[in-house]
Amino acid sequence: MSEALQTRVLRTEEDLQAVAEVGRRLLYPKRVKIKVGLGTCGVAAGAQELYRALCEQVAERGLDVDVARTACIGLCQREPLVDVQVPGCSRVLYGDVSAEMAAELLDAVLGDTVLTEHVIARVDEDEDIITGSTHRVAAERTIEEVPTFAEHPFYAAQRRVAMRNCGIIDSDSIEEYIARGGYRALYKVLTEYAPEQVIGIVSASGLRGRGGGGFATGRKWASCRKAHGDPKYVICNADEGDPGAYMDRSVLEGDPHTVLEGLMIGGYAIGTGQAYVYVRQEYPLARQKLLQAIEQAQQYGLIGKDVFGSGYDFDVRIARGGGAFVCGESTALMASIEGRVGEPRAKHIHTVESGLWEKPTTLNNVETWANVPVIVTRGADWFASVGSEGSKGTKVFSLVGKVKNTGLVEVPMGITLREIIYDVGGGITDDKEFKAVQTGGPSGGCIPVEHLDLEVDFDRLSEVGSMMGSGGMIVMDEDSCMVDVARYFLEFLADESCGKCTPCREGNLRMLQILDRICKGKATMDDLALLEDIADVVKTTSLCALGKSAPNPVLSTIRYFRDEYEAHIRDKRCPAGVCRDLIEFSIDADACICCGRCANECPVDCISGQKGKPPAKATKADREKGKAGRPFQIDQERCIRCGTCFDVCPVAAVERT
Amino acid sequence: MPTVHFTINGEPVSCERDAMLLDVALAHGFQIPALCHHDAMEPYGACRLCLVEITQGKWNWIEASCTYPVRDDGIEVLTHSEKVARYRRLNVELLLARCPESEAVQRMAREMGVETVRLPADGADKCILCGLCVRVCEDLIGVAAIGFVGRGPERRVQTPYDEPSQVCIGCGACAELCPSGHIRIVDDLNTMTRRIEPFNTEHRLVPCPECGRGYVTEKQLEFLRRRLGEKAAAALSCATCRARIRATELRRACASTTKTL
Amino acid sequence: MPVVEAEVAAKRVDEVVAGYDGRKGSLIHILQDIQEDFAYLPRAGIERVAEKLDLPLADVLRVATFYAAFSLEPRGEHLVSVCLGTACHVKGAPRLLDAIRRTLRLEQGCWTTEDMKFTVKPVRCIGCCGLAPVITVDGTAYGRLTPDKIPQILKRYE
């Protein structure tokens, strides 16, 4: 809810400060502020209804309460998430707040009590990462009974730099962005630094591309600056194609201005004022937020001609993806912006020399751009003080799958997988056995338990046959079949291949066919050898990175889980009980209590029996009255192995073999 | 343009900087198989048969030579090493599984020693998706009667909506370049029609004024007139008759000079 | 969504193309706008785009058939997108897809119901991985689903 301001072009530091003041009043009003997380995740969990219910309640009861919006707060597992800020007190985060709880929540807030079942953590102080200053939220008193974020296992190890504003500001408010140091870096750059100095700072920071390539950002900018061609272009890759990764979406929905500011700084450094943000077609909300942010920045003169009176002109356009994973690859992305199909080209001539419309182009990922303003204001040393030897700074991971705490986590590079999965993630759901963590999306691999103490950074992950990718981290447990996982990725890659070159187009399809046969128990050990051969030619001779990395899921699962492949092939058995053609469900007649739930739920009506008292307990009288039941049985011919009966049986009488 | 010096199979060669490795190798007499390559057009890099092994300092890798611009002195290129041969064979095996009936792919497979295909041969036709037909029609002829549709394994070449083409001129360049035998020009001199298979497109043939054989389509003649203006007159008889006419004129010319001598 | 008449499609294309005012690389944007308006790309629309942008028809079709966002076939009134991203897959998305197809009585190979009410489309990652498995109906996301919840959700759109 931005205050309607008489917007004018900002020219000086004082101008920025004035807007910051407005933003601060919005962030920390003198009345109760209840902030609802309305990112795509929150909305999917019902946060929109909660927001409306809160507004209605506030209006009905005539309360002086600010019902505000924010985007992703991070702990997606507990959506809908709500922040409650009473002036002078700790700010409290609540989770799993349904729309029906609106009245209850307001009561608790006004009655100065805490909803203990829903409370997650408290904030006493907000840090402005850009300037390093802090704002004391709990100026008068702290709510001791609620743990602080630093004490909460999900948040304790996290350090939010790229996501510094997500969940804190209303992403519709440029004033709030400016209140937290926004556009200060741009001002500094345009008034104090020459382009080469900016490149120097970014290089010294050690920032590496966060989209998957991990290429040294400073070096990329330097090459582009040196290249000949006019105009040059800066592009933000917001295609985020890795299934399971959604950090870019969250940054765009929660803090679109940081990307714009980063682009402007990068543009200035390489010598251009022309930018594109290429947004995935599946992210309409992110695109909408960006468009809005651009308009707001234009109104303040932060995008347009002669920004801050420096003579720097900047214009940014949004390009939309059309639903093609391959367009996350830089040359395909640029072809797509040009209105062509996303067919990659050989990269012997780099895009920094000849990219968009054959002009020198710098392409970086959303998260990379989001780090740039911070590097400029806090300096290269500050940024490099966190992270590992070869990978500086923090990285946002989407921790999903079979972990207790799923969500977006931003942690220093060099943290171990074990710390992420068990400390931050809280361990495996239902306390099952950890089996593997899949990183790097379809280009990455599966990492088994023996590498849990691996430090997470660009180089270490590659060493064990996986890669960082964009930061997707999918945790799998004993119930995941690794052959099925490999098959899943191949199906994805075969579908997304652009189809230009022989190895990727034909090879991925053939590998998928072989994996299909393995999952159906129709393969031989020769097939495994053939699979490895095809994986080799696809990896070595494909034209682009999609093809070259497509065999990684297969190769890494064969490397670490060969026994599972052999079980499928030799024994026609799926140890994890996933591959439908290799499992069978049957009902233990002795254990069956004849409740009939399985038959009710069975989607293909293949379970028959008689509801009533189980035979062991039925008396003669029961039988005479027709109250005796008959144990239920599954018709194996018609059973589709969906596992519903297995899930719903109250006494676990359904066996899976 | 500076010159680059390097070796192919141990032999010293040189070329202009940024020349494509395949072109350089072929020019020096080295044989490198390729299916999607043609001198008249930009390299495409699709078939992945023109692979070579390159060593540069401590780096060693496999590269598609048609799209590799030579920039560095001292690289060592091998066109038929064990490694390269293996990857070529695997790619041919993939193509053969796709197009078991294609004579060109069969021939290449034989030459490379690929005897069995370990994959189900389930391709629908002989198209290997080299793109030569699409590229020649769009880039050289400028008509774009056919194009790629779909993505990945669904990719195929067809006319818009798979219907007879409205813009095809029946020149047959696509068939001329098709390495696998998928595209065929079928001329029926009785009915004076030309069919472009498998694109479902038919044209009327124009008879040669000299011998009466149908030799060119109406649309192609029109196209030539538009493109060449007066010079299109040369196309008004069939190649055989043209050659005969020219030979006759030459003989006459020689005869008259000998007379004067 | 019903089949769109040729004149309607052509007229709309003219408007959209004019809106882009000859901007470089606008082909995909134009097609996306048409796709959004009609829920598919009518043939008349594609032909008109080729005409107005002076592009070979084969080129426009190449783009229209490459990107998953475009459909050359008319779509049902409601679009049910089933996320098949990794997190959703691991949390049972294939079973969800089965349940949806069963509830809508879709035959093997069909993705649109006969009465043109629903089209089911598997999509790659919507970005709600924390709430896997997720589906969207006409853009509204539903998370943490199990097959038994499907019938009630689809009923809302009947």
Side-chain angles (χ1 to χ4, degrees):
Chain A
M1 282 189 293
S2 298
E3 215 176 76
L5 254 204
Q6 192 183 355
T7 57
R8 61 193 197 292
V9 169
L10 305 180
R11 297 235 143 220
T12 62
E13 189 135 37
E14 288 71 36
D15 289 344
L16 268 178
Q17 292 288 20
V19 178
E21 250 319 297
V22 175
R24 256 190 294 277
R25 283 200 298 273
L26 290 167
L27 280 171
Y28 308 111
K30 288 197 166 67
R31 52 191 194 152
V32 171
K33 180 174 175 178
I34 300 182
K35 220 162 44 179
V36 182
L38 286 169
T40 306
C41 272
V43 171
Q48 200 76 271
E49 286 81 33
L50 170 64
Y51 180 80
R52 253 177 265 141
L54 281 166
C55 288
E56 272 165 24
Q57 284 280 311
V58 163
E60 246 174 60
R61 289 154 73 158
L63 301 168
D64 189 23
V65 166
D66 209 350
V67 183
R69 290 182 300 222
T70 186
C72 184
I73 303 182
L75 186 46
C76 314
Q77 183 68 30
R78 310 283 304 269
E79 294 276 10
L81 292 165
V82 178
D83 250 344
V84 173
Q85 189 171 275
V86 175
C89 287
S90 313
R91 192 167 67 237
V92 178
L93 175 65
Y94 287 99
D96 301 306
V97 182
S98 62
E100 292 76 44
M101 286 174 59
E104 193 189 338
L105 180 66
L106 282 167
D107 289 338
V109 170
L110 299 167
D112 200 23
T113 56
V114 158
L115 294 173
T116 41
E117 267 163 41
H118 293 265
V119 83
I120 297 176
R122 80 173 200 264
V123 172
D124 293 335
E125 210 166 67
D126 275 333
E127 190 190 355
D128 171 6
I129 303 278
I130 289 280
T131 57
S133 63
T134 54
H135 174 95
R136 186 82 195 157
V137 175
E140 283 156 37
R141 62 188 180 87
T142 55
I143 304 179
E144 293 294 325
E145 63 260 41
V146 177
T148 59
F149 273 71
E151 291 160 348
H152 190 282
F154 182 75
Y155 289 102
Q158 292 197 47
R159 188 141 174 59
R160 301 204 144 205
V161 176
M163 296 198 65
R164 60 191 177 278
N165 291 325
C166 296
I168 298 186
I169 65 171
D170 175 356
S171 50
D172 290 338
S173 168
I174 184 176
E175 291 80 17
E176 289 188 27
Y177 178 71
I178 292 176
R180 282 180 58 80
Y183 291 109
R184 210 150 271 68
L186 177 65
Y187 180 81
K188 196 169 182 170
V189 159
L190 292 179
T191 54
E192 283 176 51
Y193 294 140
E196 290 78 11
Q197 276 174 291
V198 179
I199 296 179
I201 298 173
V202 173
S203 299
S205 74
L207 177 67
R208 288 170 70 170
R210 296 292 194 253
F215 193 82
T217 309
R219 187 145 42 105
K220 182 186 278 194
W221 291 13
S223 304
C224 194
R225 182 162 183 84
K226 264 205 321 261
H228 298 289
D230 187 70
K232 298 186 184 172
Y233 295 100
V234 274
I235 303 181
C236 173
N237 184 344
D239 193 55
E240 193 160 62
D242 287 358
Y246 60 106
M247 54 291 279
D248 291 349
R249 170 176 75 63
S250 297
V251 170
L252 289 168
E253 288 176 3
D255 194 11
H257 285 282
T258 184
V259 171
L260 296 174
E261 191 178 354
L263 275 170
M264 286 194 249
I265 294 171
Y268 175 78
I270 72 158
T272 180
Q274 305 226 29
Y276 281 89
V277 182
Y278 185 86
V279 183
R280 184 177 170 68
Q281 192 246 344
E282 291 85 336
Y283 288 172
L285 183 58
R287 198 168 77 241
Q288 187 209 315
K289 294 284 189 184
L290 261 174
L291 282 165
Q292 188 176 251
I294 292 172
E295 214 182 284
Q296 291 169 343
Q298 279 168 338
Q299 280 171 355
Y300 275 123
L302 296 166
I303 289 181
K305 298 219 177 297
D306 195 25
V307 181
F308 285 131
S310 66
Y312 179 58
D313 300 337
F314 184 82
D315 182 35
V316 57
R317 297 230 171 118
I318 302 198
R320 266 146 74 180
F325 172 74
V326 69
C327 286
E329 194 274 348
S330 59
T331 58
L333 189 156
M334 292 178 203
S336 185
I337 295 181
E338 293 175 16
R340 301 184 287 118
V341 288
E343 234 173 59
R345 62 160 176 83
K347 284 216 270 219
H348 305 298
I349 295 169
H350 298 291
T351 48
V352 287
E353 278 175 51
S354 172
L356 187 62
W357 286 301
E358 292 174 12
K359 302 292 185 192
T361 306
T362 291
L363 177 130
N364 276 119
N365 169 265
V366 168
E367 198 183 327
T368 312
W369 291 117
N371 274 294
V372 168
V374 181
I375 292 174
V376 164
T377 54
R378 301 299 290 276
D381 288 339
W382 178 92
F383 186 80
S385 67
V386 161
S388 70
E389 185 64 50
S391 309
K392 298 298 180 193
T394 56
K395 177 79 187 79
V396 182
F397 293 99
S398 62
L399 186 60
V400 294
K402 305 290 188 75
V403 267
K404 290 187 180 152
N405 302 329
T406 59
L408 291 179
V409 307
E410 188 169 359
V411 287
M413 297 265 208
I415 189 175
T416 65
L417 282 169
R418 192 186 295 279
E419 285 171 286
I420 296 180
I421 295 168
Y422 287 93
D423 295 341
V424 180
I428 311 299
T429 39
D430 299 331
D431 290 318
K432 294 214 169 164
E433 282 285 314
F434 169 83
K435 191 165 195 186
V437 60
Q438 207 279 334
T439 70
S443 315
C446 296
I447 303 175
V449 67
E450 55 255 40
H451 289 302
L452 266 180
D453 292 305
L454 187 77
E455 285 131 8
V456 177
D457 77 7
F458 288 108
D459 310 306
R460 301 305 308 278
L461 285 173
S462 307
E463 283 165 26
V464 296
S466 185
M467 57 186 271
M468 175 94 66
S470 59
M473 222 175 240
I474 299 148
V475 179
M476 299 171 185
D477 66 8
E478 59 195 73
D479 292 336
S480 311
C481 171
M482 302 318 287
V483 185
D484 174 69
V485 167
R487 198 194 85 64
Y488 165 84
F489 280 118
L490 270 174
E491 190 172 40
F492 176 86
L493 289 160
D495 189 41
E496 297 289 342
S497 164
C498 79
K500 178 171 170 176
C501 74
T502 304
C504 177
R505 181 189 68 239
E506 303 297 326
N508 280 321
L509 181 64
R510 297 303 183 174
M511 285 196 280
L512 175 60
Q513 285 175 348
I514 294 173
L515 274 163
D516 263 339
R517 285 212 313 279
I518 295 179
C519 289
K520 292 194 162 119
K522 295 198 172 129
T524 64
M525 288 305 286
D526 279 344
D527 284 321
L528 196 55
L530 178 56
L531 186 60
E532 288 175 304
D533 258 356
I534 300 178
D536 192 10
V537 71
V538 174
K539 191 178 174 68
T540 311
T541 69
S542 288
L543 190 151
C544 81
L546 185 155
K548 289 196 162 97
S549 59
N552 286 347
V554 172
L555 289 172
S556 72
T557 49
I558 293 180
R559 174 174 170 179
Y560 295 117
F561 300 97
R562 201 183 177 93
D563 54 320
E564 261 183 80
Y565 278 87
E566 294 193 2
H568 282 71
I569 296 173
R570 282 201 239 265
D571 310 330
K572 317 294 180 202
R573 194 174 57 88
C574 174
V578 169
C579 296
R580 294 197 197 170
D581 286 58
L582 301 181
I583 56 174
E584 200 176 85
F585 291 98
S586 55
I587 300 174
D588 179 358
D590 294 326
C592 175
I593 58 167
C594 307
C595 68
R597 263 201 80 182
C598 53
N600 275 348
E601 304 286 341
C602 175
V604 295
D605 284 324
C606 76
I607 306 182
S608 53
Q610 176 86 21
K611 272 163 70 167
K613 280 212 180 132
K617 296 223 180 109
T619 62
K620 190 155 170 250
D622 287 325
R623 272 190 282 274
E624 276 164 13
K625 289 193 206 148
K627 284 194 175 158
R630 250 186 9 251
F632 280 77
Q633 276 183 316
I634 299 171
D635 179 352
Q636 296 300 340
E637 298 287 302
R638 290 172 42 222
C639 174
I640 60 166
R641 319 289 200 271
C642 68
T644 306
C645 55
F646 184 77
D647 289 339
V648 305
C649 177
V651 295
V654 181
E655 284 162 354
R656 184 180 65 200
T657 44
Chain B
M1 261 277 140
T3 314
V4 181
H5 300 277
F6 62 108
T7 64
I8 300 182
N9 293 349
E11 277 180 46
V13 296
S14 61
C15 68
E16 248 183 34
R17 188 177 193 272
D18 279 350
M20 292 302 166
L21 182 52
L22 178 63
D23 294 333
V24 180
L26 292 174
H28 282 81
F30 294 98
Q31 308 278 37
I32 298 182
L35 282 174
C36 70
H37 179 81
H38 196 281
D39 279 332
M41 291 181 292
E42 292 297 306
Y44 192 49
C47 70
R48 315 313 272 182
L49 293 179
C50 66
L51 303 167
V52 293
E53 185 176 348
I54 304 182
T55 306
Q56 183 180 16
K58 61 173 175 159
W59 302 107
N60 171 276
W61 72 97
I62 300 290
E63 189 67 71
S65 58
C66 65
T67 42
Y68 182 78
V70 183
R71 291 183 151 185
D72 302 304
D73 283 315
I75 58 170
E76 291 161 37
V77 177
L78 294 175
T79 64
H80 281 80
S81 66
E82 223 0 278
K83 224 176 171 184
V84 171
R86 173 165 179 271
Y87 287 120
R88 272 202 209 122
R89 278 199 299 270
L90 284 165
N91 276 324
V92 163
E93 192 177 352
L94 287 170
L95 282 174
L96 206 49
R98 185 198 166 84
C99 310
E101 312 288 312
S102 162
E103 292 89 6
V105 182
Q106 284 170 356
R107 196 175 4 103
M108 238 177 221
R110 264 195 311 273
E111 282 167 22
M112 293 183 196
V114 174
E115 294 185 4
T116 43
V117 178
R118 299 169 287 172
L119 299 158
D122 54 11
D125 53 41
K126 293 194 202 176
C127 177
I128 57 170
L129 290 173
C130 65
L132 282 168
C133 55
V134 174
R135 285 145 65 203
V136 76
C137 193
E138 172 143 27
D139 299 339
L140 282 187
I141 311 295
V143 161
I146 45 176
F148 285 118
V149 294
R151 187 173 79 195
E154 305 297 313
R155 182 189 264 237
R156 57 204 182 283
V157 177
Q158 63 176 55
T159 53
Y161 297 101
D162 214 7
E163 289 170 358
S165 171
Q166 305 287 329
V167 299
C168 168
I169 62 171
C171 65
C174 51
E176 185 66 35
L177 262 53
C178 177
S180 69
H182 174 68
I183 308 177
R184 298 168 311 284
I185 305 291
V186 181
D187 286 348
D188 185 338
L189 297 176
N190 292 326
T191 55
M192 291 294 260
T193 49
R194 164 171 287 180
R195 283 179 60 77
I196 322 280
E197 303 277 12
F199 300 130
N200 217 0
T201 299
E202 223 173 68
H203 291 275
R204 284 204 59 72
L205 284 171
V206 174
C208 167
E210 303 289 322
C211 67
R213 274 179 86 248
Y215 76 105
V216 74
T217 68
E218 285 173 341
K219 284 194 176 165
Q220 189 179 358
L221 260 186
E222 238 176 78
F223 177 86
L224 288 169
R225 279 196 193 101
R226 264 201 319 264
R227 271 272 186 98
L228 303 175
E230 287 173 3
K231 295 202 196 123
L236 286 175
S237 41
C238 76
T240 324
C241 292
R242 242 180 290 147
R244 195 174 35 79
I245 294 170
R246 192 114 24 84
T248 313
E249 282 169 2
L250 255 175
R251 242 177 285 136
R252 258 189 234 133
C254 290
S256 62
T257 42
T258 30
K259 261 204 210 143
T260 49
L261 275 172
Chain C
M1 264 273 137
V3 174
V4 174
E5 278 177 34
E7 284 126 42
V8 175
K11 184 155 170 282
R12 184 65 192 130
V13 166
D14 289 349
E15 286 167 13
V16 170
V17 170
Y20 284 96
D21 203 22
R23 220 175 78 182
K24 266 204 297 195
S26 56
L27 174 60
I28 296 177
H29 291 258
I30 292 170
L31 291 176
Q32 274 164 333
D33 286 353
I34 305 294
Q35 170 75 35
E36 244 170 64
D37 284 341
F38 299 134
Y40 80 112
L41 295 175
R43 179 167 174 166
I46 291 184
E47 286 171 348
R48 190 70 169 184
V49 170
E51 203 191 321
K52 300 249 37 160
L53 294 181
D54 196 24
L55 288 170
L57 184 56
D59 279 4
V60 179
L61 276 167
R62 179 165 182 183
V63 171
T65 57
F66 180 87
Y67 292 101
F70 302 131
S71 170
L72 295 186
E73 297 296 317
R75 285 225 179 111
E77 200 181 316
H78 301 293
L79 182 62
V80 182
S81 300
V82 184
C83 180
L84 293 185
T86 318
C88 291
H89 176 86
V90 160
K91 288 219 162 155
R95 274 178 55 186
L96 220 56
L97 182 55
D98 279 351
I100 293 171
R101 289 185 61 89
R102 264 198 313 271
T103 309
L104 294 177
R105 281 186 267 272
L106 284 171
E107 291 198 15
Q108 189 64 282
C110 282
W111 296 91
T112 300
T113 56
E114 263 185 55
D115 58 6
M116 294 292 285
K117 268 235 156 237
F118 292 97
T119 291
V120 180
K121 185 171 181 237
V123 289
R124 306 292 174 193
C125 206
I126 303 176
C128 283
C129 320
L131 296 168
V134 175
I135 68 168
T136 66
V137 185
D138 294 341
T140 307
Y142 299 89
R144 294 199 193 113
L145 291 178
T146 45
D148 56 299
K149 297 192 181 141
I150 296 297
Q152 22 177 162
I153 294 178
L154 292 178
K155 231 195 195 73
R156 289 186 218 183
Y157 295 89
E158 242 144 58

